[in-house]
Amino acid sequence: MNKIMEYDVSSATPSKRHQKEVQGDDVRLSTLSEDLRNALKKSGWKAKLQNAVYREMSVLPSAALPPELRKEPVAYMRRAQAQWEKRVMKSLNSMCTELGVTLCQKRSPEEQKGLLSKWSEMGSDEPDLSRFRPVYAPKDFLEVLVHLQDPEVLNFDPGHPCRPWGLVQVPLEISTSEQLSQHFKELALHEQQTGLEDVTPLTSESFEVQREKLAKKVLETDESLLAQHFARKGCPNAQRAALWLLILNVSMGAEEIQKYEQLKSAVVQQDLLVDNLIYKDVKLTASNDDYYFVFEDFLYQVLLCFSRDTKVLSHFEHNSATPSKTYSPGKMGVEEFATVYPPSGVIPFHGFTMYVAPLCFLYHEPHTLYYAFHQMYVRHFFRLHSVSSHPSGIVALCLLFETTLQRLQPRLFHHLRDIGAQPLRIAFKWLVRAFSGYLATDQLLLLWDRLLGFNSLELLAVLAVAIFVLRAENLMEAASLASAEAVLADLSTVKVVPLLQLALFGGLK
């Protein structure tokens, strides 16, 4: 609530006219409350205040909790995350030593001028990347999750009859099928959805026209919560970009554009080691993707600016992770000699680019694209590469995926396990990238509509289960991990919405 009050005070400077009105003879205490509400509504501040409250409540945990529990209440999760962070920084420092490069150095005037001149065409002239490697890949992170242990419970007894047969063995509470059905009830089979094709063309057109009209009305209200609920049934293509900005509380004004230009200036002035990691990742992922290669320049611009954005640090208040740091020589572990590196505190990993790439289809101005990604990351995507007990965290998603697949398809699960093709080893790359780069873009956007609409990442696990069930017949004939991966290599024909509906409401067996 303190942050909300700061928002009010800093943003709402009363004009002389407002002061005069308050001091006027026609102001009565008996009607002051109603008059204030009407004035707020008329001035547009009602929606702004509601959106500020929505933003705080949808992102931040209870302020009554102590700081360490706000970040992560489970002690062994906190320890595992801290150990993982040390491992990542060690890998980064080792790269510096091996390559004889520094983490950060000032660009020469000639370098600055050169970078500015090619800012919009950075894909045409990147540095030599052959010596650089990703700091880590999703499969490295998966091994951390596989070895998680609760020292008090010692996970599950190997002889326990209810012992799960998956890779993730922590006794973490996850949603039951009944809870999932209730939480995602707007996806019920009888509900019409944007993204369904199993209706007549006339009905489809009529429904989409209705959705477009309703979307315009939602945008006119300028209320984030209303936009969020609307997105649960999918967003029309024409209004999706604006609806997502409203849900994410992104408003583009002179201040935001100025901040983006400052970040751009920071990129031009300072050369960071992570810049090379970003270049490398874009080349290895989006540049080789049929959907996203055309956005290569946008991706460089957004990701390089993101690495310099200190405002990203605020999300660590409710993230199990802590910002990555470097220390002065000989002062390792001494906080007063620590520097957050990069300034955002986030070290990109292999595939990080794909959190941004789909947004390029929606936003064609770099600064708008930047702020949309910034909010998507600090609200949702950070949970996919942090060790935590959060219901939308990657650990819970892995456990939800394995548990649900065992329940729906026990024979398939055990078959894959017996041939050395644990399902999670195949699905993990989908989960950690929120399916970006695996689904067709139109289907991915329909999925992300629902992630934003329900403010939950649990649908990622549900969809992963549904895909395995969809390909069950071919998977049962697989004899090795390689053959199972081949069955699931191409997801371009997957239709997201009907699969989610069937998985949630009993249509998949």
Side-chain angles (χ1 to χ4, degrees), residues 54 183-184 186 224-235 244 247 380 446-456 459:
Y54 157 80
H183 182 61
F184 299 110
E186 285 88 350
S224 297
L225 185 58
L226 195 58
Q228 182 194 38
H229 281 273
F230 178 86
R232 293 179 177 184
K233 290 189 176 183
C235 299
W244 283 19
I247 294 170
H380 298 291
L446 289 168
L447 173 62
W448 285 14
D449 281 343
R450 276 74 181 183
L451 300 186
L452 288 170
F454 291 101
N455 196 33
S456 170
L459 287 176

Side-chain angles (χ1 to χ4, degrees), residues 379-394:
R379 289 197 186 196
H380 298 291
F381 293 151
F382 76 89
R383 298 195 185 282
L384 298 177
H385 62 97
S386 305
V387 182
S388 80
S389 60
H390 193 278
S392 281
I394 191 65

Side-chain angles (χ1 to χ4, degrees), residues 118 122 125-130 132 271 275-276 279-280 283 300:
K118 65 179 182 182
M122 284 191 284
D125 184 26
E126 73 279 353
D128 178 16
L129 305 173
S130 59
F132 293 92
D271 181 14
D275 294 351
N276 294 290
Y279 279 120
K280 184 84 171 185
K283 287 297 183 185
Y300 290 134

Side-chain angles (χ1 to χ4, degrees), residues 206-220:
S206 176
F207 176 70
E208 288 306 321
V209 169
Q210 291 174 10
R211 290 291 288 175
E212 287 182 8
K213 290 180 179 178
L214 185 55
K216 292 176 182 177
K217 291 181 179 179
V218 170
L219 290 171
E220 288 174 0

Side-chain angles (χ1 to χ4, degrees), residues 72-309:
E72 172 51 56
V74 181
Y76 70 88
M77 293 280 186
R78 293 199 299 269
R79 288 194 295 270
Q81 175 61 30
Q83 291 170 358
W84 171 242
E85 289 167 3
K86 290 179 181 178
R87 179 176 164 185
V88 171
M89 280 307 300
K90 182 178 180 181
S91 176
L92 193 66
N93 289 325
S94 296
M95 192 183 306
C96 287
T97 303
E98 292 172 12
L99 302 181
V101 297
T102 60
L103 290 172
C104 175
Q105 63 181 3
K106 187 175 178 62
R107 299 188 198 272
S108 68
E110 293 75 17
E111 290 173 327
Q112 293 184 32
K113 185 177 180 180
L115 183 55
L116 265 178
S117 67
K118 65 179 182 182
W119 179 257
S120 299
E121 300 177 347
M122 284 191 284
S124 61
D125 184 26
E126 73 279 353
D128 178 16
L129 305 173
S130 59
R131 301 184 302 158
F132 293 92
R133 65 180 186 277
V135 176
Y136 70 93
K139 64 180 181 180
D140 303 315
F141 186 48
L142 175 60
E143 292 309 312
V144 174
L145 307 188
V146 169
H147 291 94
L148 280 175
Q149 286 191 337
D150 182 346
E152 295 183 6
V153 180
L154 295 178
N155 297 341
F156 292 91
D157 186 324
H160 195 287
C162 296
R163 176 180 180 271
W165 292 96
L167 292 173
V168 176
Q169 295 286 306
V170 292
L172 194 63
E173 184 175 345
I174 56 173
S175 298
T176 64
S177 57
E178 292 77 14
Q179 289 171 330
L180 289 172
S181 298
Q182 178 59 31
H183 182 61
F184 299 110
K185 59 185 177 183
E186 285 88 350
L187 280 167
L189 294 169
H190 64 275
E191 297 281 356
Q192 285 187 294
Q193 304 282 333
T194 297
L196 281 181
E197 298 177 355
D198 57 340
V199 289
T200 64
L202 179 61
T203 304
S204 176
E205 180 183 6
S206 176
F207 176 70
E208 288 306 321
V209 169
Q210 291 174 10
R211 290 291 288 175
E212 287 182 8
K213 290 180 179 178
L214 185 55
K216 292 176 182 177
K217 291 181 179 179
V218 170
L219 290 171
E220 288 174 0
T221 69
D222 198 31
E223 294 184 14
S224 297
L225 185 58
L226 195 58
Q228 182 194 38
H229 281 273
F230 178 86
R232 293 179 177 184
K233 290 189 176 183
C235 299
N237 290 334
Q239 287 83 30
R240 177 177 282 120
L243 286 165
W244 283 19
L245 292 181
L246 182 54
I247 294 170
L248 296 168
N249 266 276
V250 173
S251 58
M252 294 308 304
E255 183 179 347
E256 285 75 21
I257 295 175
Q258 181 183 23
K259 173 62 177 177
Y260 177 79
E261 291 300 321
Q262 290 172 348
L263 294 172
K264 175 180 173 180
S265 178
V267 174
V268 171
Q269 293 174 25
Q270 296 286 338
D271 181 14
L272 305 183
L273 172 63
V274 294
D275 294 351
N276 294 290
L277 301 181
I278 290 169
Y279 279 120
K280 184 84 171 185
D281 191 52
V282 172
K283 287 297 183 185
L284 291 176
T285 56
S287 295
N288 292 322
D289 191 290
D290 291 340
Y291 291 104
Y292 304 120
F293 72 94
V294 294
F295 302 120
E296 186 175 352
D297 297 323
F298 270 9
L299 295 172
Y300 290 134
Q301 295 169 30
V302 168
L303 289 167
L304 291 172
C305 286
F306 181 81
S307 67
R308 272 77 171 176
D309 194 347

